[in-house]
């Protein structure tokens, strides 16, 4: 009881127009994290056309269930649905885009438009082949991945479904179209947020001695952190320090009351990540005190755990991919970006595949979260094929 490789391939060919059309519609109509109201409405309408029951999750997320009514395992297939607050360029790395956001300042700059289309297309194929499957498939639509607003609510809602495994995919701009990576072990980094304010005493630039300048304190904190990273972080357990924001002052001759600094840490070892956060607190508070300033934590927390692919599940998926797309696997791919997908590992074994979408001919390959980011739409059919193939093979084997 299963779907043949030929049938999967032909089904994906048949649905390719729907896949591309859906991705372009979603790309043109992006919504930010936690605000995906129209996106969610559209996705639900597509699910309802297939007569699948929908379970609402607080916010804009939801999931749908395909029950074959035959005894078997339960698997989860997941997409995220949010866009980013980025202004999209008219061109990608080569030429004018095939489609562009209609909402200025909002842009699917991480490929979530593609993931949604992939999951919907896979759903169509799997529903059509329901009689050839056993068990249950849960299609997961997660809100707010970029700010982690939906993962906790989704995991809590899914607890009652007793899922055996969850599979996810990430279109990877650094990997050539046609290549797929699903290594066992850590594949995406954990993420910690660093956001603090250094408060001093403002004044006129002509008499700095009558003020307490938070700019000097903040500068010394940043320099102190750079030193701590060189000397204190275990060289065998990389933790990156990416400070992306420093705000303070509005005019040259006025010393401000405060300076705000923010950024992120990325790590694969959770304990080393915790240790690095303590460096931030200690260096920040002691350096601020030395300058007679206050160190105020706005937000210094571990946000996402690393994405760690289950060994047995990853090897199963690798074999499944090799069976339908020989010689397509890329090995030893680790990405320092972060993903809320790690949260699903609280429920069951999980695996996240990297689907290559880099193609110089179409101009894709710019970094994620970049104004030039674009995808190669050929990667959509590859990702759909792999998703359907995995669902078929896992339910057949179990």
């Amino acid at each position: 009881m299963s779907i043949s490789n030929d049938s999967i391939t032909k089904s994906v060919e048949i649905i390719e127009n729907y896949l591309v059309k859906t991705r372009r519609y979603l790309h043109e109509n992006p919504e930010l994290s936690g605000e995906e109201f129209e996106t969610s409405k559209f996705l639900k309408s597509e699910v309802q056309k297939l007569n699948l029951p929908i379970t609402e999750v607080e916010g804009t997320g939801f999931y749908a269930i395909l029950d074959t009514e035959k005894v078997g395992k339960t698997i989860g297939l997941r997409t995220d649905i949010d866009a980013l607050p980025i202004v999209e360029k008219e061109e990608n790395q080569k030429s004018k885009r095939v489609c562009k956001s209609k909402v200025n300042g909002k842009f699917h700059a991480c490929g979530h438009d593609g993931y949604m289309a992939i999951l919907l297309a896979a759903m169509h194929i799997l529903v059509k082949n329901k009689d050839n499957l056993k068990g249950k498939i849960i299609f997961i639509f997660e809100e707010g991945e970029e700010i982690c607003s939906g993962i906790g609510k989704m995991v809590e809602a899914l607890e009652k479904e007793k899922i055996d495994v969850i599979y996810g995919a990430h279109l990877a701009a650094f990997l050539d179209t046609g290549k797929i990576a699903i290594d066992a072990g850590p594949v995406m980094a954990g993420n910690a947020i660093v956001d603090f304010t250094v408060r001093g005493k403002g004044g006129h630039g002509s008499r700095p001695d009558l003020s307490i300048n938070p700019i000097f304190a903040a500068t010394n904190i940043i320099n102190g952190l750079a030193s701590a990273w060189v000397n204190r972080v275990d060289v065998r357990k990389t933790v990156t320090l990416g400070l992306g924001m420093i705000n303070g002052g509005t005019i040259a001759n006025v010393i401000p009351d405060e300076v705000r600094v923010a950024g992120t840490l990325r790590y694969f070892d959770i304990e080393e990540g915790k240790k690095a956060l303590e460096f931030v607190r200690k260096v920040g508070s002691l350096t601020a005190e030395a300058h007679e300033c206050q160190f105020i934590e706005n937000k210094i927390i571990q946000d996402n755990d690393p994405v760690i692919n289950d060994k047995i599940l990853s090897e199963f998926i690798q074999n499944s991919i090799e069976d339908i797309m020989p010689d397509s696997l890329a090995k030893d791919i680790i990405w320092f970006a972060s993903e809320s997908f790690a949260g699903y590992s609280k429920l069951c074994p999980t695996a996240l595949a990297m689907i290559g979408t880099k193609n110089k001919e179409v101009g894709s390959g710019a970094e994620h979260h970049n104004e030039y980011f674009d995808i190669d739409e050929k990667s959509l059919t590859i990702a759909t094929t792999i998703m359907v193939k995995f669902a078929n093979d896992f339910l057949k084997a179990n």
Side-chain angles (χ1 to χ4, degrees):
M1 182 177 290
S2 65
I3 317 170
S4 70
N5 285 353
D6 283 346
S7 180
I8 292 172
T9 301
K10 288 176 183 176
S11 295
V12 174
E13 288 175 359
I14 291 168
I15 208 165
E16 184 175 2
N17 286 338
Y18 169 82
L19 182 56
V20 172
K21 181 181 177 181
T22 301
R23 178 261 162 173
R24 292 183 183 181
Y25 169 80
L26 291 163
H27 187 88
E28 290 173 348
N29 297 278
E31 294 179 296
L32 301 183
S33 305
E35 302 174 5
E36 312 98 324
F37 304 108
E38 293 303 315
T39 302
S40 185
K41 188 184 298 184
F42 169 79
L43 295 169
K44 288 173 187 172
S45 71
E46 293 300 297
V47 173
Q48 287 163 349
K49 290 175 185 177
L50 298 173
N51 298 313
L52 297 183
I54 290 171
T55 299
E56 304 274 358
V57 177
E58 181 187 353
T60 57
F62 67 96
Y63 64 88
I65 301 178
L66 168 60
D67 187 348
T68 68
E69 299 177 352
K70 295 184 282 291
V71 175
K73 295 288 187 178
T74 298
I75 65 171
L77 303 176
R78 173 265 195 176
T79 183
D80 32 21
I81 67 175
D82 53 334
L84 287 152
I86 297 173
V87 177
E88 182 179 18
K89 288 287 187 183
E90 290 282 348
E91 300 81 23
N92 56 27
Q93 288 189 317
K94 181 182 180 183
S95 58
K96 190 173 181 179
R97 299 172 180 276
V98 296
C99 64
K100 185 178 180 296
S101 172
K102 294 179 179 178
V103 187
N104 190 44
K106 298 178 184 180
F107 171 28
H108 272 294
C110 201
H112 298 183
D113 51 340
Y115 311 153
M116 288 184 276
I118 291 160
L119 187 58
L120 288 175
M123 184 188 305
H124 273 267
I125 295 170
L126 292 165
V127 168
K128 185 178 179 181
N129 286 276
K130 175 182 175 181
D131 291 344
N132 295 317
L133 301 168
K134 62 181 180 178
K136 293 181 182 179
I137 304 173
I138 300 182
F139 302 94
I140 302 164
F141 297 84
E142 179 193 331
E143 78 150 73
E145 184 276 329
E146 298 293 352
I147 63 170
C148 297
S149 64
I151 183 64
K153 294 177 285 189
M154 184 62 75
V155 168
E156 184 178 355
L158 289 171
E159 284 179 351
K160 65 179 180 290
E161 303 297 347
K162 308 300 181 187
I163 304 176
D164 293 290
V165 296
I166 295 177
Y167 168 84
H170 206 302
L171 295 174
F174 52 84
L175 202 59
D176 289 338
T177 299
K179 288 296 180 181
I180 306 115
I182 186 154
D183 294 314
V187 293
M188 292 186 73
N191 174 50
I193 295 173
V194 171
D195 186 337
F196 60 86
T197 296
V198 182
R199 183 169 295 156
K201 178 184 176 185
H204 199 288
S206 66
R207 287 296 304 272
D209 56 307
L210 300 179
S211 303
I212 300 174
N213 195 332
I215 293 176
F216 287 116
T219 301
N220 277 281
I221 290 171
I222 292 169
N223 288 335
L225 289 175
S227 176
W229 248 249
V230 171
N231 294 289
R232 301 292 305 282
V233 174
D234 190 328
V235 296
R236 300 163 299 175
K237 301 175 182 178
T238 301
V239 180
T240 64
L241 171 65
L243 297 180
M245 185 189 82
I246 178 166
N247 289 335
T250 56
I251 191 169
N253 65 345
V254 176
I255 294 170
D257 282 318
E258 58 186 39
V259 173
R260 185 180 172 196
V261 179
T264 62
L265 313 183
R266 309 293 170 132
Y267 53 89
F268 291 96
D269 185 284
I270 293 174
E271 290 306 312
E272 198 69 13
K274 288 179 182 177
K275 190 173 80 173
L277 279 181
E278 287 308 308
F279 296 160
V280 175
R281 291 190 177 97
K282 193 168 185 178
V283 170
S285 59
L286 293 179
T287 305
E289 183 181 353
H291 285 262
E292 298 184 344
C293 290
Q294 288 179 272
F295 178 79
I296 301 165
E297 293 187 22
N298 300 321
K299 195 175 186 181
I300 299 180
I301 62 166
Q302 284 183 301
D303 200 29
N304 277 335
D305 284 343
V307 175
I308 300 175
N309 283 347
D310 179 78
K311 185 176 187 297
I312 295 173
L313 180 59
S314 297
E315 290 175 354
F316 182 93
I317 298 170
Q318 287 172 9
N319 291 332
S320 182
I321 292 169
E322 280 288 348
D323 186 51
I324 198 166
M325 292 184 64
D327 303 317
S328 61
L329 288 173
K331 295 289 188 179
D332 302 321
I333 302 298
I334 292 178
W335 191 17
F336 274 81
S338 300
E339 240 278 7
S340 65
F341 186 79
Y344 294 107
S345 62
K346 297 173 184 174
L347 296 172
C348 59
T350 60
L352 183 73
M354 304 290 179
I355 313 293
T357 192
K358 180 181 180 180
N359 185 344
K360 288 192 295 185
E361 295 303 313
V362 300
S364 60
E367 285 285 338
H368 295 252
H369 296 209
N370 181 290
E371 58 195 357
Y372 292 100
F373 175 84
D374 203 359
I375 68 169
D376 177 5
E377 290 180 330
K378 291 179 181 177
S379 64
L380 301 176
T381 57
I382 293 168
T384 304
T385 300
I386 293 164
M387 184 175 283
V388 173
K389 173 67 171 168
F390 160 68
N392 173 73
D393 289 2
F394 188 88
L395 294 177
K396 175 187 175 183
N398 293 277

